[in-house]
Amino acid sequence: MSKNIQIEYSRKKGFSLNFEEKILQEKAWYYLQNLSEDAGFYTLSKILNDRDPLTIFKNNQLLKKIMQELQIEIVYSRYLSTLLFASLLKCRGFEKGSENINELLKSLIIGMSDGKNTIEQDNGLYRMAFSIMENVMKLAAIEFDDFTKTFMALLAHLTPAYYRLKNHFELKNVLLERIKKEYHSLFLLMDNVLQPLKEEVGEISESEKAYFVILFGGEIYKNKYSGKSLKAIVLCVNGISSSLIMQKRLESYSRQWNLF
């Protein structure tokens, strides 16, 4: 049993588990990632609304207010789990002071964003991104055609990833096994590549490593090509990770056939 969980007994209440609130939050987020949108999310939202008919509405307004303050958007496929998590915190009575829950939700919202919009950059994250870039170039023995472009793409991904990992809001990656297979060599390098991040947040899950593999994979295997270029728009209902995989596959085909 975890050292942070104790079994306590009293004559009045009997046996009960005593544990830190943070552990409960982590477990709640973990199980939210495994709920199905069609059945699980609907059932949980119904239970919450039965307790307070306006709870989903009020927490939806709260999230929108925080997103407006931060000037960022949550990735569409991640919004429901974020909304339900916020609602569970309120239902739990975690909000002893509004600052506590709002700061936690700010971290969660940043972690669930796509990193494209402006977020005030931390100098520590900037240096971390540069160290990760150096590790990739050394370990993979490559130079990026456009270092600045790749660096900015990494920084945009690193910012939400840092907030997710720091607060244990990791995402489930449904394409993990496929990424490990198609980018096997690069995936094996990730432990060393992401060492600067690991020093700050602790262990990094395979699912989170896979997102970095997607980011670097296309750049590492990309060769210069010439000819008339075409433009393509990638749309995928399965979420942002599926879209990135599809994008990299299109780029691979374009190099073979000189299409794009």
Side-chain angles (χ1 to χ4, degrees), residues 107-227:
S107 295
L108 177 59
I109 289 170
I110 295 173
M112 295 304 112
S113 72
D114 57 13
K116 290 182 180 178
N117 294 329
T118 302
I119 300 174
E120 186 177 347
Q121 296 295 344
D122 185 301
N123 288 333
L125 290 178
Y126 193 92
R127 291 191 295 270
M128 187 187 299
F130 193 84
S131 296
I132 291 173
M133 287 286 288
E134 285 187 322
N135 287 347
V136 171
M137 292 188 292
K138 289 176 183 177
L139 294 170
I142 57 108
E143 290 186 4
F144 295 104
D145 293 337
D146 191 336
F147 181 92
T148 301
K149 181 180 178 181
T150 306
F151 177 82
M152 295 308 296
L154 170 61
L155 190 60
H157 176 76
L158 180 63
T159 301
Y162 172 82
Y163 279 88
R164 287 198 300 270
L165 292 164
K166 193 74 173 177
N167 295 281
H168 304 284
F169 294 135
E170 297 173 57
L171 292 170
K172 184 178 180 181
N173 193 328
V174 296
L175 296 176
L176 174 60
E177 294 307 317
R178 181 174 174 181
I179 293 169
K180 289 171 67 176
K181 181 179 179 181
E182 295 188 7
Y183 295 93
H184 179 69
S185 297
L186 182 58
F187 192 89
L188 292 178
L189 293 177
M190 280 299 108
D191 272 334
N192 291 324
V193 167
L194 298 176
Q195 188 61 34
L197 176 60
K198 186 176 179 180
E199 290 173 359
E200 292 290 327
V201 302
E203 290 299 319
I204 303 173
S205 68
E206 288 191 337
S207 291
E208 288 289 346
K209 291 176 188 176
Y211 286 113
F212 284 95
V213 171
I214 294 172
L215 189 150
F216 288 120
E219 294 297 326
I220 289 177
Y221 300 120
K222 180 173 70 178
N223 298 315
K224 292 183 178 180
Y225 52 88
S226 59

